[in-house]
Amino acid sequence: MNNLIAKFRFEYPQGAVTQVELEHPVDGFSVTAFLGPSGCGKTTLLRVLAGLERNARGTIRFGDQTWLDSQQRKSLSPVHRKIGFMFQEYALFPHLTVAQNIEYGIRRVPAEERRRRVTELLNRFGMSKFSGRYPLQLSGGQQQRIALARSVACRPQLLLLDEPLSALDAVQREATRMELRGLLEEDQIPVILVTHDRHEALSLADHVALMNDGEILQTGSISEVFNRPKTPVVAGMVGVETTLPGRVESTHFPAQSPTHHQSNRIGETSVVSVGNVSLTVAKLQSSVNNVYVCIRGADVEIVGPASPAAVAMDPNRIPATITRIQLFESTLRIEMNCGFPLVAILTRQLARSLALQVGQQIEVNIPVNAIHLINR
């Protein structure tokens, strides 16, 4: 299996540093998203990978090719790396037509082959009838299609996308997300994109790398990183609304047959104190006492009055007081005090049916398996 292995450091004159250690499979189609706030080094990472920034120190290898080895003073040009790069603002030439913009990406190819490739891409991206128009005569979504067509025209071995949806308005962005994934998949080219939008990462990517302050904090599959963040900073970046310090007070093992080996125990739980409340959680794999307790707002359930049977089934049923309600496009954010500050995210329809109000006394349930613990 071919890998992209990048270990480099890039310093800007004003002092900002991007430090990267990355090993990523590059066989066939996959999308890896580098997610992080503006200014954290994501675009620098792409530009160094593409060979557009020449002052990086370290090594970059793609399969059996060496793209960068600063000790050997070796740095391949972008052309020789066979990289496709789609810039954040698309960088289309305003004085060239749609067809000419696509053709520019393969200007060194013989004329007949160029024409054939441009026609193929215009058809594939549904832009044939716009081939003679200029970029300013196109919508944002159409410009994105042309920029993407130009970046794949040369049949690159790696495609880099810099904030591919940021130039679109909110409505266009929502409509284009899944379409973009389908367009990328047709070429079966490995893709690396950078974004500050976690919804974009979730909808487009198979793998994700979290970046902050010029460093990669955590990498893995979308499911692994979003569901099992390793630090409170990562938890905040992937949208965990409640992250608080807690302490493991005890661990409980379910009754087992004497024939069961200890390693086969299932359902082991711990009791963790958070504020003045005790929560039952799935047992942390390491024997630590001090932890961070992470709870996603979407996992918090607003429930009716507790009965003995309900408490036995849902040990984390606790009373709460609503302190704030925030309305968003399709959801409500409910802030509560339940012995510690807790956030619930509800659909507007559910919130409307519950008729929630600030100051209201309610009960919530936090499912045992919805609580993630981080070693503190």
Side-chain angles (χ1 to χ4, degrees):
M1 178 168 59
N2 287 327
N3 286 335
L4 169 66
I5 302 173
K7 297 180 180 180
F8 64 81
R9 176 184 177 91
F10 182 86
E11 298 182 20
Y12 281 98
Q14 64 270 33
V17 174
T18 297
Q19 182 96 25
V20 169
E21 288 199 20
L22 169 70
E23 183 166 349
H24 179 63
V26 287
D27 280 330
F29 173 72
S30 68
V31 179
T32 298
F34 280 77
L35 175 64
S38 297
C40 74
K42 304 185 303 295
T43 295
T44 300
L45 164 75
L46 288 193
R47 291 180 63 83
V48 172
L49 289 178
L52 298 174
E53 298 287 358
R54 309 302 294 269
N55 296 323
R57 298 202 308 272
T59 59
I60 301 174
R61 294 187 174 88
F62 186 97
D64 58 1
Q65 302 172 345
T66 297
W67 287 356
L68 172 70
D69 187 332
S70 58
Q71 285 194 338
Q72 300 294 324
R73 296 187 176 182
K74 178 177 182 178
S75 179
L76 289 186
S77 68
V79 171
H80 290 104
R81 296 185 192 198
K82 288 200 69 177
I83 290 280
F85 198 122
M86 192 170 93
F87 294 90
Q88 185 171 337
E89 299 296 334
Y90 305 151
L92 296 174
F93 297 109
H95 63 289
L96 299 182
T97 65
V98 163
Q100 289 167 341
N101 265 281
I102 297 174
E103 188 177 10
Y104 188 86
I106 48 174
R107 58 195 181 278
R108 295 180 177 85
V109 172
E112 185 57 38
E113 187 178 342
R114 275 204 315 272
R115 283 192 291 272
R116 193 162 49 245
R117 181 65 171 153
V118 169
T119 299
E120 172 193 335
L121 290 169
L122 285 169
N123 290 334
R124 195 184 118 198
F125 284 85
M127 296 296 292
S128 295
K129 64 181 180 181
F130 302 105
S131 63
R133 292 193 186 179
Y134 293 90
L136 293 178
Q137 297 173 309
L138 304 176
S139 69
Q142 290 168 338
Q143 289 181 26
Q144 183 201 56
R145 283 168 168 258
I146 297 310
L148 186 58
R150 185 178 64 184
S151 66
V152 301
C154 64
R155 295 186 171 88
Q157 57 184 350
L158 179 66
L159 180 60
L160 307 178
L161 308 180
D162 188 0
E163 298 274 8
L165 302 179
S166 65
L168 305 178
D169 62 37
V171 175
Q172 286 180 316
R173 206 157 44 236
E174 193 67 34
T176 306
R177 274 188 190 131
M178 293 315 297
E179 179 188 53
L180 178 58
R181 169 86 191 192
L183 291 172
L184 293 172
E185 197 164 0
E186 285 193 37
D187 277 299
Q188 290 297 300
I189 299 168
V191 178
I192 292 178
L193 67 87
V194 303
T195 180
H196 65 276
D197 184 342
R198 64 174 177 268
H199 300 295
E200 192 170 306
L202 280 166
S203 62
L204 290 175
D206 307 292
H207 310 280
V208 66
L210 275 293
M211 285 191 74
N212 198 32
D213 291 334
E215 294 186 359
I216 297 175
L217 304 181
Q218 185 174 343
T219 63
S221 68
I222 286 284
S223 174
E224 177 187 351
V225 174
F226 274 74
N227 293 325
R228 304 195 64 80
K230 291 182 178 178
T231 69
V233 172
V234 171
M237 292 174 69
V238 298
V240 177
E241 290 83 2
T242 300
T243 301
L244 295 168
R247 181 173 176 82
V248 178
E249 302 295 348
S250 59
T251 297
H252 303 278
F253 305 101
Q256 296 283 350
S257 162
T259 60
H260 283 184
H261 189 272
Q262 184 172 352
S263 64
N264 291 330
R265 285 176 174 158
I266 58 173
E268 299 176 8
T269 58
S270 296
V271 174
V272 177
S273 60
V274 187
N276 58 13
V277 174
S278 293
L279 296 176
T280 300
V281 305
K283 180 179 177 291
L284 187 65
Q285 294 305 306
S286 57
S287 56
V288 300
N289 292 323
N290 295 318
V291 294
Y292 288 104
V293 177
C294 301
I295 304 169
R296 284 191 176 277
D299 291 328
V300 177
E301 304 166 353
I302 295 180
V303 294
S307 64
V311 171
M313 184 176 296
D314 300 321
N316 294 330
R317 280 183 176 240
I318 49 180
T321 302
I322 297 176
T323 58
R324 189 183 185 194
I325 298 177
Q326 286 181 284
L327 176 64
F328 294 94
E329 186 176 349
S330 58
T331 60
L332 264 71
R333 175 187 169 100
I334 314 296
E335 297 181 13
M336 298 166 282
N337 183 355
C338 58
F340 60 88
L342 179 67
V343 173
I345 304 295
L346 306 181
T347 65
R348 293 179 68 170
Q349 183 178 5
L350 176 58
R352 189 163 47 244
S353 69
L354 295 171
L356 300 175
Q357 297 179 352
V358 172
Q360 185 176 349
Q361 306 287 317
I362 59 173
E363 286 204 345
V364 300
N365 175 53
I366 309 168
V368 170
N369 291 325
I371 302 173
H372 171 59
L373 301 182
I374 297 174
N375 185 352
R376 186 161 57 94

